[in-house]
């Protein structure tokens, strides 16, 4: 039997607005290594897993990860290959699993020993290390500590608070992207049945810009490639993404392409080790040879300079086409399937190199060389992640990325296409299931027909809108299905105050986090099963399903014994809540929630009738590897835009400019975290150990600003509202980044991101584009 154990680390106050913790005697900075993964990566993974799980659980758990009859990795959304190796996981996937399958528990004794006020000063690393939540817990009005409650009492409190609202739009229903398709579908139905579209999700802060730009230009907000397309491409652009840390299994695919001689162009202000060279742990030979070189080119672009780069590539492609007509552009495709070529060409022809160089920080020659590679390629894939989506002009940037591909017909043919690399393991599936504040009318129509009700049609709040509504008193109840809302969102102080105005905050979680400590008048923690655990309901053992970054849907089945007998599945929680909230409510959808809870196949049967592409859902889940959803541009080169064509768009060139003496800050992940879950304090690939409060700055910028490597500084953000925003006590690290740009880890820096600084159209917070200045840190005034 696994015995519960609880490590009790001293609380380190590492939060954004908390007491600064820079401790130069602990924090270590060294040269970054030369290549990613390999034996050290696997050893780190095993070490971490063994520490959390012990040997038996480690073998039982990691052996089932991403296997055909196992569970889906709760890490990232990179797809599984058809031919899986016996160890189809990466270092960070193993960490994600260990984090969930840990034997440590945060039980009622833990909550009795520590007040909420005390736990609020703990950082997320210390909170997460307590282990799995075991009991539903409630914080009563004016209470200092959480106390255990029964599920019945907890659900009654929520139903009572929801029913007491003057308007259903006063409730916010957040979702994080680990939720299964089944739970997500039931949840959105509960929310719409209750009468609101207030369904913000983590995607609003993540790939919303990709969804917006792709829907506008190609008619569907999802990537168009398969794993085979990426492996088979001649040119792969990897822009604004750090796969070595965040999508390590992508390195195997890039390695295949590299071995075929593909040109891999990394576009990144940082030289990310994972893109330089890769030693595949599944191929011993690769380790001996020192690994495969991945990126052939590194364009060290300035933050937010990508739009200029993409337009410049379009400009050079046009020149090449005019020099040798018929050799670069795909005229047949352009004529039959696109719109807007002429105005686009007019726009890019007028661009001036001086401005392109200023925007990108690159030289004309570098851009011409890489454009020549594109011109000579018949199979090009663009991959990207947060480096492109979290800027004010992110949507325009991505429209311009699409245009470059369209010029050469690089969509809907083998080895070519768009590849937004998703974050959370089921964030794409949640959106497919209707987790969105503004689903298309066709979805509502199908939902209404299936459940004989009238779903509300007015758009709900997205993440930024939800915070504004709570801040302004227009919302009273917050419910989070997974995630860590208070730490993941921008403008931490504003968000904290907003949540504190709620009459009830509810977090449906697996592990303790800060969102449990920043509460409304009353608060609930509802502990749920994770992906790795068995889910047995009245109808027998259940499976759930998820969709990866490439639209493949497959089943996931946990095998471990649950961390506590009091845990319930997300589907159980949602359907039980729905019964209590919707019973007897006029106009409620017609659903047998108890039947859904007993057998999730009944939920899938409804999904099959509501969501396109899910016919015969149950049977097709039995297929090895699941099934792939339809994608018109990929499948038939058809484009469901209003014009029926793929849109080549004209976007005015925008790039960030900061005041003299200021820097542009991006906020990123270290190698030892999953979003707000901090596994440890090492960022091995960037040479940082035992600490997180660091800011990476180019040595020449440091000279110019009068600072030096090793200094301790405060980061001050500058925004048009003039509100002072400060993150204190960061060790300066001289680092190889583009000039004028800085980097620091999130969530410590979220306090610096103004709530109303978000991308045009997608309203994604601009987490990679924050104007800051450095100020020498004064140790004495450390307490805030
Ligand atoms: N282990 C682990 N895996 C994860 C996660 C995790 O936290 N840990 N998070 C998951 C989630 S939700 C997501 S969304 C993904 C995130 O995956 P990534 O997007 O890779 O994550 P970030 O750390 O935000 O890294 C952004 C990258 O873009 C670069 N960049 C920043 N700004 C710009 C720019 O203006 N232009 C260009 N060209 N590059 C830029 C940065 O230098 C960095 O390399 O990973 C997922 N997988
Ligand atoms: N400054 C800055 N801010 C950012 C970003 C950035 O790059 N910079 N990135 C943004 C991005 S891309 C994203 S996706 C968001 C992430 O925002 P979120 O998705 O809200 O945050 P996570 O840290 O992934 O959520 C972790 C919590 O989820 C819970 N959890 C884990 N597994 C499960 C499960 O199976 N079920 C349930 N119910 N709960 C579970 C645990 O309690 C854990 O504490 O953050 C965004 N915020
Ligand atoms: Mo994300």
């Amino acid at each position: 039997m696994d015995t519960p154990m609880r490590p009790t680390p001293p609380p380190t106050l590492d939060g954004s607005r908390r007491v600064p913790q820079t401790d130069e005697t602990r924090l270590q900075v060294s040269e970054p290594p030369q290549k990613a993964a390999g034996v050290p990566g696997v050893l780190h993974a095993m070490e971490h897993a063994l520490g959390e799980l012990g040997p038996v659980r480690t073998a039982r758990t990691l052996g089932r990860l991403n296997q055909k009859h196992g569970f889906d990795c709760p890490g990232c959304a990179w797809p599984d290959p058809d031919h899986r190796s016996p160890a189809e996981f990466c270092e960070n996937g193993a960490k994600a699993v260990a984090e969930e399958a840990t034997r440590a528990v945060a039980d009622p004794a833990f909550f009795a020993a520590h007040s909420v006020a005390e736990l609020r000063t703990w950082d997320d690393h210390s909170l997460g290390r307590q282990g799995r939540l075991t009991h539903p817990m409630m914080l009563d009005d004016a209470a200092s500590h959480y106390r255990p409650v029964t599920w019945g009492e907890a659900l009654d409190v929520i139903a009572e608070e929801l029913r007491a609202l003057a308007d259903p739009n006063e409730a916010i229903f957040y979702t994080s992207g680990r939720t299964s398709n089944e739970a997500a579908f039931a949840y959105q139905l509960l929310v719409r049945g209750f009468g609101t579209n207030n369904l913000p999700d983590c995607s609003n802060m993540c790939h919303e810009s990709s969804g917006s730009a792709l829907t506008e230009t190609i008619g569907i907000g999802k990537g168009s490639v398969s794993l085979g397309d990426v492996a088979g491409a001649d040119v792969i652009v990897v822009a604004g993404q750090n796969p070595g840390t965040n999508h390590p299994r992508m390195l195997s695919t890039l390695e295949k392409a590299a071995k075929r001689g593909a040109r891999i162009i990394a576009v990144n202000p940082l030289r990310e080790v994972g893109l330089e060279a890769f030693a595949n742990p599944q191929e011993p030979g690769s380790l001996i040879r020192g690994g495969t070189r991945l990126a052939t080119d590194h364009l060290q672009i300035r933050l937010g300079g990508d739009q200029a780069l993409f337009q410049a590539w379009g400009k050079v492609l046009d020149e090449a086409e005019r020099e040798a007509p018929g050799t670069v552009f795909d005229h047949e495709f352009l004529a039959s399937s696109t719109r807007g070529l002429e105005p686009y060409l007019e726009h890019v022809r007028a661009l001036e190199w001086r401005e392109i160089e200023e925007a990108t920080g690159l030289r004309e020659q570098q851009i011409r060389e890489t454009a020549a590679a594109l011109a000579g390629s018949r199979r090009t894939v663009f991959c990207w992640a947060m480096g492109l989506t979290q800027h004010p002009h992110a949507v325009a940037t991505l429209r311009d990325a699409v245009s470059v591909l369209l010029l050469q017909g690089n969509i809907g043919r083998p080895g070519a296409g768009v590849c937004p690399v998703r974050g959370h393991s089921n964030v794409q599936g949640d959106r497919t299931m209707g987790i969105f504040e503004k689903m298309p009318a066709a979805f509502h129509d199908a939902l209404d027909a299936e459940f004989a009700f009238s779903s509300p049609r007015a758009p709900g709040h997205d993440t930024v809108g939800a915070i504004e509504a709570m801040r302004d008193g227009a919302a009273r109840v917050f419910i989070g299905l997974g995630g860590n809302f208070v730490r993941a969102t921008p403008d931490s102080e504003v968000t904290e105050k907003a949540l504190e105005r709620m009459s009830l905050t509810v977090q449906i979680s697996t592990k303790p986090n800060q969102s449990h400590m920043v509460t409304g008048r009353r608060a609930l923690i509802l502990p749920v099963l994770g992906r790795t655990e068995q889910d047995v309901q009245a109808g027998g053992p259940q499976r759930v399903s998820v969709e990866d970054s490439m639209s493949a849907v497959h089943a996931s089945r946990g095998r471990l014994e649950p961390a506590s007998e009091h845990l319930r599945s997300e589907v159980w929680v949602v359907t039980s809540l729905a019964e209590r909230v919707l019973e007897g409510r006029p106009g409620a959808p017609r659903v047998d929630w108890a039947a859904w809870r007993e057998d999730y196949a009944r939920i899938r049967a409804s999904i099959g009738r509501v969501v396109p592409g899910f016919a015969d859902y149950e049977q097709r889940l039995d297929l090895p590897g699941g099934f792939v959803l339809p994608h018109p541009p990929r499948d038939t080169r058809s484009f469901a835009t209003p014009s029926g064509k793929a849109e080549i768009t004209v976007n005015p060139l925008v790039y960030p400019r900061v005041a003299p003496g200021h820097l542009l800050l991006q906020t990123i992940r270290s190698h030892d975290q999953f979003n707000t879950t901090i596994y440890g304090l090492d960022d091995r690939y960037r040479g940082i150990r035992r600490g997180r409060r660091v800011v990476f700055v180019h040595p020449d910028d440091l000279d110019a600003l009068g600072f030096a490597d090793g200094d301790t500084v405060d980061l001050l953000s500058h925004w048009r509202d003039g509100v002072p925003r400060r993150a204190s006590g960061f060790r300066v690290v001289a680092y190889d980044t583009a000039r004028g740009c800085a980097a620091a880890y999130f969530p410590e820096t979220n306090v610096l991101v103004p709530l109303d600084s978000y991308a045009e159209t997608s309203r994604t917070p601009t987490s990679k584009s924050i104007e800051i200045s450095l100020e020498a840190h004064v140790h004495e005034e450390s307490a805030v």
Side-chain angles (χ1 to χ4, degrees), residues 75-77 92-93 206-207 238-243 245-248 267-270 272 299 301-306 384-388 390-391 421-424 666-671 673-676 679 686 746 768:
C76 74
N92 279 341
C206 185
H207 268 293
V238 183
Q241 197 200 341
N242 179 22
T245 286
N246 298 312
H247 305 92
V267 185
N268 203 310
L270 301 176
E272 301 285 26
L299 298 180
I301 197 159
R302 286 207 174 116
L303 288 171
D306 305 83
W384 70 87
M386 296 304 99
L388 297 197
Q390 299 176 331
H391 289 281
V421 185
R422 303 272 162 183
H424 267 299
Q666 61 156 327
T667 59
I668 48 173
R669 292 150 175 84
S670 87
H671 193 64
Q673 73 185 87
F674 192 95
N675 299 340
T676 70
Y679 302 135
R686 298 194 186 103
F746 111 88
K768 302 285 191 272

Side-chain angles (χ1 to χ4, degrees), residues 2 50 69 83 91 221 227 241 397 430 446 574:
D2 299 319
L50 286 168
H69 299 287
H83 303 287
E91 175 186 359
L227 277 183
Q241 197 200 341
T397 298
D430 290 347
V574 170

Side-chain angles (χ1 to χ4, degrees), residues 367-653:
I367 297 177
R368 285 191 175 280
E369 273 167 20
T370 43
L374 291 172
S377 163
R378 285 290 159 273
R379 290 176 294 190
T380 302
V381 171
F382 275 22
C383 304
W384 70 87
M386 296 304 99
L388 297 197
T389 63
Q390 299 176 331
H391 289 281
H393 56 311
V395 178
T397 298
L398 289 166
R399 281 189 215 116
D400 275 316
V402 170
S403 294
V404 175
L405 289 170
L406 291 176
L407 292 177
Q408 298 184 277
N410 274 314
I411 195 149
R413 70 175 182 214
V418 286
C419 182
V421 185
R422 303 272 162 183
H424 267 299
S425 49
N426 197 36
V427 62
Q428 185 160 318
D430 290 347
R431 184 56 62 86
T432 307
M433 291 299 116
I435 303 294
F436 193 24
E437 69 281 358
K438 43 175 200 258
M439 283 302 278
F443 178 86
H444 282 276
D445 294 343
L447 201 66
D448 293 0
E450 172 73 6
F451 301 107
F453 83 124
S454 297
S455 54
R457 302 289 172 126
H461 292 307
D462 58 11
T463 293
V464 168
I467 298 168
E468 289 166 346
M470 293 190 283
R471 178 196 64 192
D472 300 340
R476 312 279 309 143
V477 172
F478 176 94
I479 299 179
L481 181 55
N484 185 2
F485 190 82
V486 80
R487 297 293 271 151
T489 48
D491 232 348
S492 312
E493 292 192 24
V494 174
T495 304
E496 288 182 17
K497 289 203 186 92
L499 282 162
E500 284 167 349
R501 294 195 66 182
M502 297 300 93
S503 67
L504 177 71
T505 46
V506 181
Q507 305 293 346
I508 301 168
S509 315
T510 51
K511 300 196 80 175
N513 63 44
Q514 272 302 330
S515 296
H516 304 137
M517 311 312 161
V518 181
T519 70
R521 193 169 50 82
R522 293 199 283 177
L524 282 161
I525 303 174
L526 305 182
V528 287
L529 296 171
R531 275 267 171 89
T532 53
E533 290 164 319
Q534 298 162 3
D535 180 354
V536 182
Q537 302 296 336
Q542 302 297 317
R543 58 179 176 177
V544 294
S545 46
V546 295
E547 175 185 343
D548 67 29
S549 225
M550 296 178 179
S551 306
V553 178
H554 60 91
S556 174
R557 225 187 247 105
R559 301 287 165 139
L560 289 181
E561 200 172 300
S564 144
E565 57 176 323
H566 303 289
L567 302 186
R568 296 290 180 269
S569 73
E570 291 182 346
V571 170
W572 188 96
V573 174
V574 170
T575 53
S576 304
L577 184 60
E579 279 173 333
R580 281 175 164 78
V581 174
L582 300 183
E583 204 190 63
R585 204 174 161 86
R590 206 173 306 149
V591 192
D592 186 347
W593 298 102
W596 276 19
R597 187 158 63 231
E598 271 170 27
D599 182 357
Y600 303 173
R602 296 183 181 131
I603 308 179
R604 288 187 285 271
S606 272
I607 295 172
R609 289 187 291 269
V610 172
V611 187
F614 284 85
D616 302 321
Y617 196 173
E618 201 62 32
Q619 293 81 322
R620 287 196 294 159
L621 268 191
D622 292 332
L623 300 174
F627 60 97
V628 179
L629 292 172
H631 188 288
R634 180 198 64 206
D635 303 336
T636 57
R637 284 194 145 182
S638 46
F639 302 94
T641 57
S643 68
K645 307 236 165 152
E647 300 286 344
I648 300 177
T649 53
V650 174
N651 304 291
L653 178 57

Side-chain angles (χ1 to χ4, degrees), residues 57 164 715:
R57 253 167 112 79
L715 313 180

